[in-house]
PDB file of all heavy atoms in Angstrom:
ATOM      1  N   ARG K   1      -4.730  37.782  78.481  1.00 90.00           N
ATOM      2  CA  ARG K   1      -5.372  37.373  79.746  1.00 90.00           C
ATOM      3  C   ARG K   1      -4.716  36.156  80.424  1.00 90.00           C
ATOM      4  O   ARG K   1      -4.652  36.024  81.623  1.00 90.00           O
ATOM      5  CB  ARG K   1      -6.840  37.041  79.496  1.00 90.00           C
ATOM      6  CG  ARG K   1      -7.647  38.221  79.128  1.00 90.00           C
ATOM      7  CD  ARG K   1      -9.097  37.916  78.939  1.00 90.00           C
ATOM      8  NE  ARG K   1      -9.825  39.171  78.525  1.00 90.00           N
ATOM      9  CZ  ARG K   1     -10.930  39.159  77.885  1.00 90.00           C
ATOM     10  NH1 ARG K   1     -11.509  38.038  77.572  1.00 90.00           N
ATOM     11  NH2 ARG K   1     -11.481  40.297  77.591  1.00 90.00           N
ATOM     12  N   THR K   2      -4.184  35.255  79.609  1.00 88.00           N
ATOM     13  CA  THR K   2      -3.495  34.103  80.098  1.00 88.00           C
ATOM     14  C   THR K   2      -2.267  34.513  80.856  1.00 88.00           C
ATOM     15  O   THR K   2      -1.984  34.001  81.981  1.00 88.00           O
ATOM     16  CB  THR K   2      -3.146  33.111  78.929  1.00 88.00           C
ATOM     17  OG1 THR K   2      -4.257  32.747  78.235  1.00 88.00           O
ATOM     18  CG2 THR K   2      -2.489  31.853  79.469  1.00 88.00           C
ATOM     19  N   ALA K   3      -1.492  35.452  80.338  1.00 85.00           N
ATOM     20  CA  ALA K   3      -0.275  35.890  81.021  1.00 85.00           C
ATOM     21  C   ALA K   3      -0.679  36.584  82.338  1.00 85.00           C
ATOM     22  O   ALA K   3       0.032  36.413  83.356  1.00 85.00           O
ATOM     23  CB  ALA K   3       0.493  36.882  80.145  1.00 85.00           C
ATOM     24  N   TRP K   4      -1.723  37.400  82.368  1.00 83.00           N
ATOM     25  CA  TRP K   4      -2.153  38.086  83.591  1.00 83.00           C
ATOM     26  C   TRP K   4      -2.610  37.024  84.623  1.00 83.00           C
ATOM     27  O   TRP K   4      -2.267  37.170  85.822  1.00 83.00           O
ATOM     28  CB  TRP K   4      -3.282  39.041  83.282  1.00 83.00           C
ATOM     29  CG  TRP K   4      -2.775  40.346  82.798  1.00 83.00           C
ATOM     30  CD1 TRP K   4      -2.913  40.868  81.519  1.00 83.00           C
ATOM     31  CD2 TRP K   4      -2.062  41.356  83.589  1.00 83.00           C
ATOM     32  NE1 TRP K   4      -2.316  42.078  81.508  1.00 83.00           N
ATOM     33  CE2 TRP K   4      -1.782  42.435  82.746  1.00 83.00           C
ATOM     34  CE3 TRP K   4      -1.688  41.400  84.912  1.00 83.00           C
ATOM     35  CZ2 TRP K   4      -1.108  43.546  83.145  1.00 83.00           C
ATOM     36  CZ3 TRP K   4      -0.916  42.525  85.328  1.00 83.00           C
ATOM     37  CH2 TRP K   4      -0.685  43.579  84.470  1.00 83.00           C
ATOM     38  N   LEU K   5      -3.330  36.012  84.206  1.00 87.00           N
ATOM     39  CA  LEU K   5      -3.791  34.966  85.099  1.00 87.00           C
ATOM     40  C   LEU K   5      -2.593  34.226  85.684  1.00 87.00           C
ATOM     41  O   LEU K   5      -2.508  34.009  86.905  1.00 87.00           O
ATOM     42  CB  LEU K   5      -4.696  33.973  84.355  1.00 87.00           C
ATOM     43  CG  LEU K   5      -5.268  32.826  85.168  1.00 87.00           C
ATOM     44  CD1 LEU K   5      -6.142  33.350  86.338  1.00 87.00           C
ATOM     45  CD2 LEU K   5      -6.061  31.895  84.333  1.00 87.00           C
ATOM     46  N   TRP K   6      -1.620  33.856  84.875  1.00 86.00           N
ATOM     47  CA  TRP K   6      -0.421  33.199  85.332  1.00 86.00           C
ATOM     48  C   TRP K   6       0.342  34.068  86.349  1.00 86.00           C
ATOM     49  O   TRP K   6       0.750  33.546  87.372  1.00 86.00           O
ATOM     50  CB  TRP K   6       0.440  32.855  84.114  1.00 86.00           C
ATOM     51  CG  TRP K   6       1.809  32.266  84.473  1.00 86.00           C
ATOM     52  CD1 TRP K   6       3.003  32.795  84.303  1.00 86.00           C
ATOM     53  CD2 TRP K   6       2.016  31.010  85.152  1.00 86.00           C
ATOM     54  NE1 TRP K   6       3.972  31.957  84.785  1.00 86.00           N
ATOM     55  CE2 TRP K   6       3.409  30.851  85.292  1.00 86.00           C
ATOM     56  CE3 TRP K   6       1.191  29.968  85.611  1.00 86.00           C
ATOM     57  CZ2 TRP K   6       3.971  29.763  85.893  1.00 86.00           C
ATOM     58  CZ3 TRP K   6       1.782  28.883  86.218  1.00 86.00           C
ATOM     59  CH2 TRP K   6       3.127  28.756  86.340  1.00 86.00           C
ATOM     60  N   HIS K   7       0.541  35.332  86.026  1.00 83.00           N
ATOM     61  CA  HIS K   7       1.284  36.201  86.963  1.00 83.00           C
ATOM     62  C   HIS K   7       0.468  36.476  88.238  1.00 83.00           C
ATOM     63  O   HIS K   7       1.076  36.604  89.302  1.00 83.00           O
ATOM     64  CB  HIS K   7       1.680  37.480  86.268  1.00 83.00           C
ATOM     65  CG  HIS K   7       2.880  37.371  85.486  1.00 83.00           C
ATOM     66  ND1 HIS K   7       2.880  36.749  84.196  1.00 83.00           N
ATOM     67  CD2 HIS K   7       4.187  37.721  85.689  1.00 83.00           C
ATOM     68  CE1 HIS K   7       4.125  36.687  83.730  1.00 83.00           C
ATOM     69  NE2 HIS K   7       4.941  37.273  84.596  1.00 83.00           N
ATOM     70  N   GLY K   8      -0.834  36.519  88.162  1.00 82.00           N
ATOM     71  CA  GLY K   8      -1.691  36.679  89.355  1.00 82.00           C
ATOM     72  C   GLY K   8      -1.526  35.461  90.256  1.00 82.00           C
ATOM     73  O   GLY K   8      -1.449  35.602  91.478  1.00 82.00           O
ATOM     74  N   LEU K   9      -1.562  34.266  89.672  1.00 86.00           N
ATOM     75  CA  LEU K   9      -1.407  33.063  90.435  1.00 86.00           C
ATOM     76  C   LEU K   9      -0.010  33.024  91.121  1.00 86.00           C
ATOM     77  O   LEU K   9       0.139  32.699  92.314  1.00 86.00           O
ATOM     78  CB  LEU K   9      -1.619  31.842  89.590  1.00 86.00           C
ATOM     79  CG  LEU K   9      -1.353  30.495  90.228  1.00 86.00           C
ATOM     80  CD1 LEU K   9      -2.369  30.255  91.381  1.00 86.00           C
ATOM     81  CD2 LEU K   9      -1.498  29.377  89.223  1.00 86.00           C
ATOM     82  N   ARG K  10       1.015  33.431  90.360  1.00 84.00           N
ATOM     83  CA  ARG K  10       2.362  33.467  90.919  1.00 84.00           C
ATOM     84  C   ARG K  10       2.444  34.422  92.086  1.00 84.00           C
ATOM     85  O   ARG K  10       3.114  34.173  93.078  1.00 84.00           O
ATOM     86  CB  ARG K  10       3.386  33.814  89.862  1.00 84.00           C
ATOM     87  CG  ARG K  10       3.572  32.727  88.810  1.00 84.00           C
ATOM     88  CD  ARG K  10       4.669  33.147  87.833  1.00 84.00           C
ATOM     89  NE  ARG K  10       5.906  33.348  88.494  1.00 84.00           N
ATOM     90  CZ  ARG K  10       6.960  32.540  88.300  1.00 84.00           C
ATOM     91  NH1 ARG K  10       6.892  31.541  87.524  1.00 84.00           N
ATOM     92  NH2 ARG K  10       8.091  32.799  88.955  1.00 84.00           N
ATOM     93  N   ALA K  11       1.731  35.597  91.985  1.00 84.00           N
ATOM     94  CA  ALA K  11       1.749  36.580  93.073  1.00 84.00           C
ATOM     95  C   ALA K  11       1.045  36.033  94.309  1.00 84.00           C
ATOM     96  O   ALA K  11       1.552  36.225  95.411  1.00 84.00           O
ATOM     97  CB  ALA K  11       1.060  37.845  92.594  1.00 84.00           C
ATOM     98  N   VAL K  12      -0.095  35.351  94.152  1.00 83.00           N
ATOM     99  CA  VAL K  12      -0.734  34.739  95.266  1.00 83.00           C
ATOM    100  C   VAL K  12       0.133  33.726  95.987  1.00 83.00           C
ATOM    101  O   VAL K  12       0.158  33.605  97.223  1.00 83.00           O
ATOM    102  CB  VAL K  12      -2.088  34.111  94.845  1.00 83.00           C
ATOM    103  CG1 VAL K  12      -2.725  33.239  95.953  1.00 83.00           C
ATOM    104  CG2 VAL K  12      -3.074  35.205  94.465  1.00 83.00           C
ATOM    105  N   LEU K  13       0.891  32.982  95.222  1.00 85.00           N
ATOM    106  CA  LEU K  13       1.814  31.958  95.737  1.00 85.00           C
ATOM    107  C   LEU K  13       3.100  32.502  96.287  1.00 85.00           C
ATOM    108  O   LEU K  13       3.943  31.771  96.771  1.00 85.00           O
ATOM    109  CB  LEU K  13       2.053  30.875  94.700  1.00 85.00           C
ATOM    110  CG  LEU K  13       0.836  30.061  94.310  1.00 85.00           C
ATOM    111  CD1 LEU K  13       1.186  29.118  93.182  1.00 85.00           C
ATOM    112  CD2 LEU K  13       0.234  29.306  95.500  1.00 85.00           C
ATOM    113  N   GLY K  14       3.333  33.885  96.081  1.00 82.00           N
ATOM    114  CA  GLY K  14       4.558  34.469  96.545  1.00 82.00           C
ATOM    115  C   GLY K  14       5.711  34.231  95.658  1.00 82.00           C
ATOM    116  O   GLY K  14       6.888  34.227  96.048  1.00 82.00           O
ATOM    117  N   ARG K  15       5.450  33.834  94.346  1.00 84.00           N
ATOM    118  CA  ARG K  15       6.474  33.519  93.400  1.00 84.00           C
ATOM    119  C   ARG K  15       6.571  34.412  92.194  1.00 84.00           C
ATOM    120  O   ARG K  15       7.174  34.048  91.183  1.00 84.00           O
ATOM    121  CB  ARG K  15       6.303  32.083  92.914  1.00 84.00           C
ATOM    122  CG  ARG K  15       6.336  31.061  94.046  1.00 84.00           C
ATOM    123  CD  ARG K  15       6.233  29.678  93.494  1.00 84.00           C
ATOM    124  NE  ARG K  15       6.254  28.677  94.576  1.00 84.00           N
ATOM    125  CZ  ARG K  15       7.384  28.102  95.029  1.00 84.00           C
ATOM    126  NH1 ARG K  15       8.519  28.417  94.532  1.00 84.00           N
ATOM    127  NH2 ARG K  15       7.288  27.223  96.009  1.00 84.00           N
ATOM    128  N   LEU K  16       6.077  35.650  92.355  1.00 82.00           N
ATOM    129  CA  LEU K  16       6.201  36.637  91.263  1.00 82.00           C
ATOM    130  C   LEU K  16       7.600  37.109  91.224  1.00 82.00           C
ATOM    131  O   LEU K  16       8.186  37.516  92.220  1.00 82.00           O
ATOM    132  CB  LEU K  16       5.206  37.796  91.565  1.00 82.00           C
ATOM    133  CG  LEU K  16       5.002  38.786  90.450  1.00 82.00           C
ATOM    134  CD1 LEU K  16       4.439  38.138  89.217  1.00 82.00           C
ATOM    135  CD2 LEU K  16       4.098  39.908  90.917  1.00 82.00           C
ATOM    136  N   ARG K  17       8.214  37.076  90.009  1.00 84.00           N
ATOM    137  CA  ARG K  17       9.618  37.447  89.847  1.00 84.00           C
ATOM    138  C   ARG K  17       9.819  38.360  88.640  1.00 84.00           C
ATOM    139  O   ARG K  17       8.997  38.367  87.776  1.00 84.00           O
ATOM    140  CB  ARG K  17      10.492  36.183  89.604  1.00 84.00           C
ATOM    141  CG  ARG K  17      10.457  35.160  90.696  1.00 84.00           C
ATOM    142  CD  ARG K  17      11.203  35.612  91.930  1.00 84.00           C
ATOM    143  NE  ARG K  17      11.150  34.616  93.015  1.00 84.00           N
ATOM    144  CZ  ARG K  17      10.352  34.723  94.051  1.00 84.00           C
ATOM    145  NH1 ARG K  17       9.537  35.709  94.213  1.00 84.00           N
ATOM    146  NH2 ARG K  17      10.340  33.765  94.996  1.00 84.00           N
ATOM    147  N   THR K  18      10.856  39.196  88.781  1.00 85.00           N
ATOM    148  CA  THR K  18      11.158  40.089  87.629  1.00 85.00           C
ATOM    149  C   THR K  18      11.649  39.242  86.444  1.00 85.00           C
ATOM    150  O   THR K  18      12.192  38.123  86.641  1.00 85.00           O
ATOM    151  CB  THR K  18      12.237  41.062  88.037  1.00 85.00           C
ATOM    152  OG1 THR K  18      13.423  40.386  88.470  1.00 85.00           O
ATOM    153  CG2 THR K  18      11.749  42.003  89.124  1.00 85.00           C
ATOM    154  N   GLY K  19      11.502  39.797  85.293  1.00 85.00           N
ATOM    155  CA  GLY K  19      11.896  39.118  84.038  1.00 85.00           C
ATOM    156  C   GLY K  19      11.372  39.965  82.885  1.00 85.00           C
ATOM    157  O   GLY K  19      11.150  41.180  83.048  1.00 85.00           O
ATOM    158  N   ARG K  20      11.144  39.312  81.763  1.00 87.00           N
ATOM    159  CA  ARG K  20      10.756  40.045  80.549  1.00 87.00           C
ATOM    160  C   ARG K  20       9.390  40.685  80.641  1.00 87.00           C
ATOM    161  O   ARG K  20       9.086  41.660  80.009  1.00 87.00           O
ATOM    162  CB  ARG K  20      10.849  39.199  79.297  1.00 87.00           C
ATOM    163  CG  ARG K  20       9.893  38.057  79.236  1.00 87.00           C
ATOM    164  CD  ARG K  20      10.142  37.227  77.977  1.00 87.00           C
ATOM    165  NE  ARG K  20       9.273  36.114  77.953  1.00 87.00           N
ATOM    166  CZ  ARG K  20       8.293  35.980  77.076  1.00 87.00           C
ATOM    167  NH1 ARG K  20       8.121  36.844  76.125  1.00 87.00           N
ATOM    168  NH2 ARG K  20       7.492  34.903  77.107  1.00 87.00           N
ATOM    169  N   HIS K  21       8.495  40.103  81.562  1.00 88.00           N
ATOM    170  CA  HIS K  21       7.155  40.647  81.699  1.00 88.00           C
ATOM    171  C   HIS K  21       7.024  41.621  82.901  1.00 88.00           C
ATOM    172  O   HIS K  21       5.996  42.253  83.059  1.00 88.00           O
ATOM    173  CB  HIS K  21       6.131  39.552  81.812  1.00 88.00           C
ATOM    174  CG  HIS K  21       5.949  38.785  80.590  1.00 88.00           C
ATOM    175  ND1 HIS K  21       5.388  39.271  79.451  1.00 88.00           N
ATOM    176  CD2 HIS K  21       6.238  37.470  80.328  1.00 88.00           C
ATOM    177  CE1 HIS K  21       5.311  38.378  78.552  1.00 88.00           C
ATOM    178  NE2 HIS K  21       5.857  37.200  79.033  1.00 88.00           N
ATOM    179  N   LEU K  22       8.049  41.725  83.749  1.00 90.00           N
ATOM    180  CA  LEU K  22       7.930  42.498  84.963  1.00 90.00           C
ATOM    181  C   LEU K  22       9.323  43.076  85.320  1.00 90.00           C
ATOM    182  O   LEU K  22      10.282  42.380  85.379  1.00 90.00           O
ATOM    183  CB  LEU K  22       7.449  41.667  86.117  1.00 90.00           C
ATOM    184  CG  LEU K  22       7.525  42.288  87.492  1.00 90.00           C
ATOM    185  CD1 LEU K  22       6.528  43.500  87.549  1.00 90.00           C
ATOM    186  CD2 LEU K  22       7.099  41.303  88.590  1.00 90.00           C
ATOM    187  N   GLU K  23       9.310  44.394  85.522  1.00 90.00           N
ATOM    188  CA  GLU K  23      10.460  45.084  86.082  1.00 90.00           C
ATOM    189  C   GLU K  23      10.098  45.810  87.263  1.00 90.00           C
ATOM    190  O   GLU K  23       8.958  46.298  87.410  1.00 90.00           O
ATOM    191  CB  GLU K  23      11.062  46.076  85.030  1.00 90.00           C
ATOM    192  CG  GLU K  23      11.657  45.392  83.820  1.00 90.00           C
ATOM    193  CD  GLU K  23      12.508  46.313  83.032  1.00 90.00           C
ATOM    194  OE1 GLU K  23      13.520  46.831  83.571  1.00 90.00           O
ATOM    195  OE2 GLU K  23      12.238  46.437  81.835  1.00 90.00           O
ATOM    196  N   VAL K  24      10.990  45.920  88.243  1.00 89.00           N
ATOM    197  CA  VAL K  24      10.700  46.549  89.551  1.00 89.00           C
ATOM    198  C   VAL K  24      11.756  47.638  89.788  1.00 89.00           C
ATOM    199  O   VAL K  24      12.953  47.409  89.547  1.00 89.00           O
ATOM    200  CB  VAL K  24      10.678  45.521  90.747  1.00 89.00           C
ATOM    201  CG1 VAL K  24      10.451  46.240  92.057  1.00 89.00           C
ATOM    202  CG2 VAL K  24       9.607  44.441  90.492  1.00 89.00           C
ATOM    203  N   ALA K  25      11.335  48.823  90.276  1.00 91.00           N
ATOM    204  CA  ALA K  25      12.248  49.900  90.587  1.00 91.00           C
ATOM    205  C   ALA K  25      11.821  50.514  91.901  1.00 91.00           C
ATOM    206  O   ALA K  25      10.658  50.514  92.230  1.00 91.00           O
ATOM    207  CB  ALA K  25      12.281  50.894  89.480  1.00 91.00           C
ATOM    208  N   ARG K  26      12.836  51.020  92.619  1.00 90.00           N
ATOM    209  CA  ARG K  26      12.512  51.827  93.849  1.00 90.00           C
ATOM    210  C   ARG K  26      12.854  53.287  93.475  1.00 90.00           C
ATOM    211  O   ARG K  26      13.931  53.622  93.050  1.00 90.00           O
ATOM    212  CB  ARG K  26      13.456  51.355  95.006  1.00 90.00           C
ATOM    213  CG  ARG K  26      13.083  50.060  95.536  1.00 90.00           C
ATOM    214  CD  ARG K  26      13.990  49.791  96.708  1.00 90.00           C
ATOM    215  NE  ARG K  26      13.769  48.442  97.189  1.00 90.00           N
ATOM    216  CZ  ARG K  26      14.458  47.851  98.152  1.00 90.00           C
ATOM    217  NH1 ARG K  26      15.502  48.497  98.738  1.00 90.00           N
ATOM    218  NH2 ARG K  26      14.168  46.674  98.536  1.00 90.00           N
ATOM    219  N   LEU K  27      11.839  54.140  93.707  1.00 91.00           N
ATOM    220  CA  LEU K  27      11.975  55.540  93.317  1.00 91.00           C
ATOM    221  C   LEU K  27      11.401  56.482  94.303  1.00 91.00           C
ATOM    222  O   LEU K  27      10.643  56.075  95.166  1.00 91.00           O
ATOM    223  CB  LEU K  27      11.259  55.743  91.929  1.00 91.00           C
ATOM    224  CG  LEU K  27      11.652  54.818  90.836  1.00 91.00           C
ATOM    225  CD1 LEU K  27      10.633  54.930  89.659  1.00 91.00           C
ATOM    226  CD2 LEU K  27      13.019  55.207  90.301  1.00 91.00           C
ATOM    227  N   ARG K  28      11.714  57.787  94.214  1.00 91.00           N
ATOM    228  CA  ARG K  28      11.152  58.821  94.979  1.00 91.00           C
ATOM    229  C   ARG K  28      10.064  59.563  94.151  1.00 91.00           C
ATOM    230  O   ARG K  28       9.090  60.036  94.664  1.00 91.00           O
ATOM    231  CB  ARG K  28      12.157  59.818  95.456  1.00 91.00           C
ATOM    232  CG  ARG K  28      13.128  59.254  96.444  1.00 91.00           C
ATOM    233  CD  ARG K  28      12.532  59.325  97.787  1.00 91.00           C
ATOM    234  NE  ARG K  28      13.446  58.811  98.808  1.00 91.00           N
ATOM    235  CZ  ARG K  28      13.138  58.772 100.056  1.00 91.00           C
ATOM    236  NH1 ARG K  28      11.970  59.172 100.445  1.00 91.00           N
ATOM    237  NH2 ARG K  28      14.015  58.260 100.892  1.00 91.00           N
ATOM    238  N   HIS K  29      10.334  59.682  92.836  1.00 94.00           N
ATOM    239  CA  HIS K  29       9.403  60.365  91.902  1.00 94.00           C
ATOM    240  C   HIS K  29       9.408  59.645  90.551  1.00 94.00           C
ATOM    241  O   HIS K  29      10.421  59.066  90.209  1.00 94.00           O
ATOM    242  CB  HIS K  29       9.827  61.806  91.714  1.00 94.00           C
ATOM    243  CG  HIS K  29       9.798  62.627  92.927  1.00 94.00           C
ATOM    244  ND1 HIS K  29      10.823  62.746  93.761  1.00 94.00           N
ATOM    245  CD2 HIS K  29       8.762  63.334  93.494  1.00 94.00           C
ATOM    246  CE1 HIS K  29      10.536  63.524  94.814  1.00 94.00           C
ATOM    247  NE2 HIS K  29       9.338  63.922  94.677  1.00 94.00           N
ATOM    248  N   LEU K  30       8.301  59.704  89.819  1.00 96.00           N
ATOM    249  CA  LEU K  30       8.240  59.134  88.539  1.00 96.00           C
ATOM    250  C   LEU K  30       7.091  59.795  87.735  1.00 96.00           C
ATOM    251  O   LEU K  30       6.271  60.425  88.356  1.00 96.00           O
ATOM    252  CB  LEU K  30       7.988  57.604  88.569  1.00 96.00           C
ATOM    253  CG  LEU K  30       6.668  57.146  89.117  1.00 96.00           C
ATOM    254  CD1 LEU K  30       6.112  55.988  88.296  1.00 96.00           C
ATOM    255  CD2 LEU K  30       6.771  56.737  90.551  1.00 96.00           C
ATOM    256  N   ARG K  31       7.226  59.660  86.428  1.00 97.00           N
ATOM    257  CA  ARG K  31       6.201  60.199  85.540  1.00 97.00           C
ATOM    258  C   ARG K  31       5.721  58.994  84.692  1.00 97.00           C
ATOM    259  O   ARG K  31       6.551  58.268  84.156  1.00 97.00           O
ATOM    260  CB  ARG K  31       6.684  61.294  84.654  1.00 97.00           C
ATOM    261  CG  ARG K  31       5.578  61.963  83.909  1.00 97.00           C
ATOM    262  CD  ARG K  31       6.049  63.161  83.053  1.00 97.00           C
ATOM    263  NE  ARG K  31       6.694  62.694  81.824  1.00 97.00           N
ATOM    264  CZ  ARG K  31       7.926  62.946  81.481  1.00 97.00           C
ATOM    265  NH1 ARG K  31       8.712  63.721  82.181  1.00 97.00           N
ATOM    266  NH2 ARG K  31       8.411  62.421  80.323  1.00 97.00           N
ATOM    267  N   ILE K  32       4.421  58.843  84.528  1.00 97.00           N
ATOM    268  CA  ILE K  32       3.831  57.834  83.667  1.00 97.00           C
ATOM    269  C   ILE K  32       3.175  58.532  82.497  1.00 97.00           C
ATOM    270  O   ILE K  32       2.277  59.321  82.716  1.00 97.00           O
ATOM    271  CB  ILE K  32       2.796  56.982  84.456  1.00 97.00           C
ATOM    272  CG1 ILE K  32       3.453  56.326  85.664  1.00 97.00           C
ATOM    273  CG2 ILE K  32       2.212  55.920  83.498  1.00 97.00           C
ATOM    274  CD1 ILE K  32       2.483  55.581  86.615  1.00 97.00           C
ATOM    275  N   ASP K  33       3.683  58.206  81.337  1.00 97.00           N
ATOM    276  CA  ASP K  33       3.135  58.788  80.080  1.00 97.00           C
ATOM    277  C   ASP K  33       2.328  57.709  79.392  1.00 97.00           C
ATOM    278  O   ASP K  33       2.581  56.521  79.473  1.00 97.00           O
ATOM    279  CB  ASP K  33       4.264  59.282  79.203  1.00 97.00           C
ATOM    280  CG  ASP K  33       4.856  60.543  79.706  1.00 97.00           C
ATOM    281  OD1 ASP K  33       4.205  61.324  80.383  1.00 97.00           O
ATOM    282  OD2 ASP K  33       6.094  60.705  79.458  1.00 97.00           O
ATOM    283  N   GLY K  34       1.357  58.208  78.571  1.00 96.00           N
ATOM    284  CA  GLY K  34       0.478  57.313  77.816  1.00 96.00           C
ATOM    285  C   GLY K  34      -0.977  57.594  78.221  1.00 96.00           C
ATOM    286  O   GLY K  34      -1.212  58.367  79.147  1.00 96.00           O
ATOM    287  N   GLN K  35      -1.896  56.982  77.587  1.00 94.00           N
ATOM    288  CA  GLN K  35      -3.278  57.198  77.808  1.00 94.00           C
ATOM    289  C   GLN K  35      -3.888  55.968  78.490  1.00 94.00           C
ATOM    290  O   GLN K  35      -4.038  54.901  77.807  1.00 94.00           O
ATOM    291  CB  GLN K  35      -4.051  57.539  76.588  1.00 94.00           C
ATOM    292  CG  GLN K  35      -3.744  58.851  76.007  1.00 94.00           C
ATOM    293  CD  GLN K  35      -4.159  60.002  76.908  1.00 94.00           C
ATOM    294  OE1 GLN K  35      -5.306  60.022  77.336  1.00 94.00           O
ATOM    295  NE2 GLN K  35      -3.292  60.918  77.129  1.00 94.00           N
ATOM    296  N   ALA K  36      -4.257  56.078  79.760  1.00 94.00           N
ATOM    297  CA  ALA K  36      -4.872  54.942  80.494  1.00 94.00           C
ATOM    298  C   ALA K  36      -5.555  55.486  81.759  1.00 94.00           C
ATOM    299  O   ALA K  36      -5.052  56.489  82.347  1.00 94.00           O
ATOM    300  CB  ALA K  36      -3.830  53.891  80.879  1.00 94.00           C
ATOM    301  N   PRO K  37      -6.680  54.909  82.184  1.00 95.00           N
ATOM    302  CA  PRO K  37      -7.222  55.296  83.438  1.00 95.00           C
ATOM    303  C   PRO K  37      -6.336  54.834  84.571  1.00 95.00           C
ATOM    304  O   PRO K  37      -5.620  53.819  84.423  1.00 95.00           O
ATOM    305  CB  PRO K  37      -8.562  54.583  83.467  1.00 95.00           C
ATOM    306  CG  PRO K  37      -8.413  53.464  82.550  1.00 95.00           C
ATOM    307  CD  PRO K  37      -7.421  53.844  81.523  1.00 95.00           C
ATOM    308  N   PHE K  38      -6.374  55.540  85.737  1.00 94.00           N
ATOM    309  CA  PHE K  38      -5.661  55.053  86.872  1.00 94.00           C
ATOM    310  C   PHE K  38      -6.493  55.044  88.116  1.00 94.00           C
ATOM    311  O   PHE K  38      -7.561  55.706  88.170  1.00 94.00           O
ATOM    312  CB  PHE K  38      -4.358  55.884  87.131  1.00 94.00           C
ATOM    313  CG  PHE K  38      -4.561  57.319  87.493  1.00 94.00           C
ATOM    314  CD1 PHE K  38      -4.753  57.646  88.803  1.00 94.00           C
ATOM    315  CD2 PHE K  38      -4.597  58.340  86.563  1.00 94.00           C
ATOM    316  CE1 PHE K  38      -4.921  59.021  89.218  1.00 94.00           C
ATOM    317  CE2 PHE K  38      -4.733  59.656  86.889  1.00 94.00           C
ATOM    318  CZ  PHE K  38      -4.917  59.987  88.229  1.00 94.00           C
TER     319      PHE K  38
END
């Protein structure tokens, strides 16, 4: 929860960056595997 809170604060301040906790990709199609609600 601490990591989520930190990243949420960074996003509000416009300082969210890619790194070991976040990767960003631009795609046309993707598949998400695993079990989770969406």
Side-chain angles (χ1 to χ4, degrees):
R1 290 182 183 159
T2 304
W4 277 109
L5 181 62
W6 174 246
H7 278 76
L9 178 60
R10 289 180 64 109
V12 169
L13 296 173
R15 298 183 182 270
L16 190 61
R17 301 288 179 258
T18 57
R20 67 184 177 111
H21 292 294
L22 172 63
E23 292 195 58
V24 178
R26 289 184 185 174
L27 306 167
R28 293 278 181 179
H29 297 91
L30 67 140
R31 188 177 79 236
I32 302 173
D33 288 329
Q35 291 293 311
F38 66 87

